[in-house]
Amino acid sequence: MFLCKGLLISLLHFVVAAQDKKDYTCSISLNGNGHDLKTLMNMVSTMQGQLKGIEADVKGRQGYIGCFRDRNSMLRSRIIKHISQLTLEKCRDLCRGYTFLGLQYSNECFCGNTIDSANHRPAPERECNMKCSGENRMCGAGDRNSVYRVRNIE
């Protein structure tokens, strides 16, 4: 997460400097793909929104955090697979006492207390495209977790 913020800040400084110089013809290369300044500004704006949303949810709000890439190491404190009629509430009950839960592959529930954002990056929402087996809600996909905050037990 902090690496992303540093990159985002650097890109914003670049954009502001380019605008101050009225250099609208400049282009940069990100991963070998040329992007003009307007495209870069749109990308930065999108990244800012995603980061703010993730931060707000992780800092305390209950609810949906986002779709995350998972390579068999995210939310591994408790793993329950092949759940008949999986719903968010059923997974929340199974993950009581943990901070986060992940719905995956339409019938799997994962529980854990931390999200390692350096190794588990947010994925586009369209990649969490499998419906839960027990309700009309997206439950991740292969190697994708729909991550939620578990309700605080009071």
Side-chain angles (χ1 to χ4, degrees), residues 64-75:
Y64 185 64
I65 296 173
C67 181
F68 283 79
R69 293 174 176 86
D70 180 14
R71 293 286 184 192
N72 297 319
S73 61
M74 181 181 193
L75 302 175

Side-chain angles (χ1 to χ4, degrees), residues 46-58:
T46 300
M47 288 172 58
Q48 276 182 308
Q50 290 172 343
L51 287 172
K52 284 180 184 175
I54 291 168
E55 283 182 89
D57 279 330
V58 171

Side-chain angles (χ1 to χ4, degrees), residues 31-101:
N31 297 327
N33 298 320
H35 293 282
D36 63 21
L37 187 57
K38 184 176 180 180
T39 303
L40 176 63
M41 289 169 51
N42 288 337
M43 289 170 54
V44 168
S45 177
T46 300
M47 288 172 58
Q48 276 182 308
Q50 290 172 343
L51 287 172
K52 284 180 184 175
I54 291 168
E55 283 182 89
D57 279 330
V58 171
K59 284 184 179 174
R61 285 192 317 175
Q62 298 174 10
Y64 185 64
I65 296 173
C67 181
F68 283 79
R69 293 174 176 86
D70 180 14
R71 293 286 184 192
N72 297 319
S73 61
M74 181 181 193
L75 302 175
R76 296 298 176 179
S77 298
R78 182 169 188 204
I79 302 168
I80 309 100
K81 294 187 176 190
H82 311 292
I83 300 170
S84 176
Q85 299 298 303
L86 177 63
T87 65
L88 174 59
E89 287 308 311
K90 189 179 280 190
C91 188
R92 277 191 166 136
D93 288 342
L94 293 166
C95 291
R96 189 173 290 128
Y98 292 97
T99 306
F100 302 103
L101 67 86

Side-chain angles (χ1 to χ4, degrees), residues 115-126:
I115 297 175
D116 179 1
S117 61
N119 292 314
H120 301 98
R121 302 278 185 204
E125 288 301 316
R126 69 181 177 276

